Amino acid sequence: MKAAILLTGDEITKGIVKDSNGGYLAERLTALGFEVQSIVVVPDSREFIKREIRSALDRANLLLITGGLGSTFDDITLQTVADYLGRELLYDSNYYSALVESFTRRFSREAPKGLKRQAFVIQDSVQLPNSSGSARGAFIKTDNNEIVILPGPPMEMEAVFKEALKHISLPSVSYSRTIGFVDLTEPEVEDFTEQMLSKFPGVKFVTRVRYYSGPTVILTANDESVLEELCHLFTDRWKKYIYTTTGEELVQVVVRELRNRNLTVSVAESCSGGRLSAIFTSVSGVSALFPGGIVSYSDEVKMSLLNVNESTLKQYGAVSEEVAFEMAAGTRILFGTDVGLSITGIAGPSGGSDSKPVGLVCSGVRIGSSIKTYTDRFRGDRETIQLRGANAVIKKLWRLFWNEYYIE
């Protein structure tokens, strides 16, 4: 079965918002056994949306549309889809009352008139509840196709997509496995993948790069035992580079390893500004092993809270392996954890020099009495360098676990 994805929004076509919905939906649909035909982005234009709906439905069984379900003048998706299908747009007074009540209770003021836009439904559609927001989605079945309309904000889109899966006609039973790699490039993985592709013609292979961790290979087949065999072959070839064969994020694997070893962890950050802590706290239940972290942006905070020596800062500078060493040691003492992680660097765009350019990041990992320090160079804008630096620390901790470094 074939699927198409249509992303709507001037904020996307103008580059104001970076889309993540397309990749999320494509990966999920592929894992379900769909063949994704296209991912198209269009502005908030009835003409553009109708044209792409027509094109998508000519080649796909399922069309997913995101965006345009809000309460502002440019939220036109429902009306446009209704017009295309020749169906009425019906007013749901009960839902509007619920929206007004919720708004008034939350903000203690009169609800805006525009909220009424979210109370309309397409004739003969199934409403998809939104546990993360107010914009409901819709499932529509035509003679030959199925259409799912989802909100644009990623958190809401994911919540409503889960509801849509209760109604979408799925391909014949298929199985999927996702293999995740660390410290490998996509071309290296691709060479081996192509060899497997020729040996297993009944398996669909999709490669994708998780930007801050590494490439992944998504395997889909009707025979689960074939996928098991393939995972073993990939593992035999790339054993020390594979962190999952079941699609987990790298931080989820790291947290599980910490939990299995009864280890607690804390972090000390400078240039990453809390992003390392955010990565850890994205995992449910991490509070049992992650008591906290500290953003030690200034030298004064590094010295007063992490016991970084003033002489170290003067001799080597805040961005150095020597300071990363003392930050990792300091956070472990401050929070009383088994593992201490640190990161300090120059995220830019200013602050760099010939000897310490923008993108220079130093980090440290302390496990027990042993401390490893590292220096990396990253390219990109400020946010990219911060995210790459923070995720690099997660990679280094995973690598040390894999090498059983912590066993003395």
Side-chain angles (χ1 to χ4, degrees), residues 240-254:
K240 69 176 183 177
Y241 298 101
I242 293 177
Y243 66 88
T244 183
T245 58
T246 56
E248 295 171 289
E249 296 290 343
L250 180 59
V251 67
Q252 293 174 313
V253 175
V254 166

Side-chain angles (χ1 to χ4, degrees), residues 249-300:
E249 296 290 343
L250 180 59
V251 67
Q252 293 174 313
V253 175
V254 166
V255 168
R256 186 179 67 242
E257 293 299 315
L258 287 164
R259 186 178 290 116
N260 289 343
R261 291 166 168 77
N262 294 315
L263 297 175
T264 55
V265 62
S266 59
V267 304
E269 306 182 60
S270 184
C271 66
S272 53
R275 294 185 186 273
L276 183 54
S277 295
I279 293 171
F280 273 111
T281 56
S282 68
V283 181
S284 177
V286 76
S287 59
L289 53 89
F290 179 73
I294 181 171
V295 179
S296 53
Y297 211 63
S298 71
D299 288 353
E300 290 74 16

Side-chain angles (χ1 to χ4, degrees), residues 173-188:
V173 177
S174 63
Y175 301 92
S176 179
R177 299 288 290 272
T178 299
I179 304 173
F181 300 85
V182 167
D183 298 330
L184 277 182
T185 63
E186 192 173 15
E188 290 174 294

Side-chain angles (χ1 to χ4, degrees), residues 63-330:
L63 169 62
L64 279 75
I65 306 174
T66 71
L69 301 183
S71 56
T72 59
F73 70 92
D74 55 352
D75 290 310
I76 59 173
T77 299
L78 280 183
Q79 182 68 67
T80 305
V81 174
D83 291 345
Y84 177 83
L85 296 174
R87 300 189 185 188
E88 292 185 49
L89 203 59
L90 308 174
Y91 175 59
D92 185 344
S93 60
N94 291 331
Y95 191 66
Y96 178 65
S97 297
L99 287 174
V100 171
E101 180 183 353
S102 175
F103 185 94
T104 304
R105 184 173 61 251
R106 182 180 178 186
F107 297 105
S108 299
R109 59 178 181 269
E110 184 179 353
K113 294 181 180 179
L115 206 59
K116 191 173 183 178
R117 289 190 176 93
Q118 292 186 314
F120 286 89
V121 300
I122 296 175
Q123 177 187 5
D124 297 327
S125 66
V126 176
Q127 301 313 294
L128 305 175
N130 183 348
S131 60
S132 298
S134 58
R136 294 180 296 182
F139 172 79
I140 306 164
K141 194 172 183 63
T142 69
D143 291 339
N144 301 307
N145 310 93
E146 294 178 352
I147 301 173
V148 174
I149 306 175
L150 304 168
M155 182 171 64
E156 297 185 35
M157 181 277 298
E158 293 178 21
V160 178
F161 178 66
K162 291 176 182 177
E163 295 293 330
L165 289 176
K166 300 174 183 178
H167 305 279
I168 293 172
S169 298
L170 300 176
S172 56
V173 177
S174 63
Y175 301 92
S176 179
R177 299 288 290 272
T178 299
I179 304 173
F181 300 85
V182 167
D183 298 330
L184 277 182
T185 63
E186 192 173 15
E188 290 174 294
V189 174
E190 192 69 18
D191 288 342
F192 186 74
T193 301
E194 289 182 2
Q195 296 176 31
M196 296 299 100
L197 183 61
S198 62
K199 294 181 179 179
F200 296 86
V203 179
K204 292 182 180 179
F205 292 75
V206 177
T207 59
R208 177 193 172 200
V209 174
R210 284 177 174 164
Y211 193 63
Y212 298 110
S213 55
T216 62
V217 176
I218 305 170
L219 311 171
T220 307
N222 294 326
D223 188 341
E224 190 174 18
S225 64
V226 172
L227 297 187
E228 290 292 335
E229 181 182 355
L230 266 168
C231 285
H232 285 304
L233 290 171
F234 270 94
T235 301
D236 287 344
R237 174 64 181 86
W238 299 112
K239 185 172 183 179
K240 69 176 183 177
Y241 298 101
I242 293 177
Y243 66 88
T244 183
T245 58
T246 56
E248 295 171 289
E249 296 290 343
L250 180 59
V251 67
Q252 293 174 313
V253 175
V254 166
V255 168
R256 186 179 67 242
E257 293 299 315
L258 287 164
R259 186 178 290 116
N260 289 343
R261 291 166 168 77
N262 294 315
L263 297 175
T264 55
V265 62
S266 59
V267 304
E269 306 182 60
S270 184
C271 66
S272 53
R275 294 185 186 273
L276 183 54
S277 295
I279 293 171
F280 273 111
T281 56
S282 68
V283 181
S284 177
V286 76
S287 59
L289 53 89
F290 179 73
I294 181 171
V295 179
S296 53
Y297 211 63
S298 71
D299 288 353
E300 290 74 16
V301 172
K302 290 181 178 69
M303 290 186 290
S304 62
L305 295 182
L306 297 174
N307 292 320
V308 175
N309 291 314
E310 183 176 7
S311 60
T312 306
L313 287 163
K314 288 182 177 179
Q315 182 176 354
Y316 300 102
V319 181
S320 62
E321 289 192 24
E322 289 78 8
V323 168
F325 182 102
E326 295 187 10
M327 288 172 65

Side-chain angles (χ1 to χ4, degrees), residues 321 357 359-363 374-378 388-389 392-393 396:
E321 289 192 24
L360 182 70
V361 175
C362 298
S363 57
Y374 310 87
T375 297
D376 292 291
R377 281 286 307 278
F378 300 112
R388 282 183 166 178
V393 177
K396 290 172 172 58

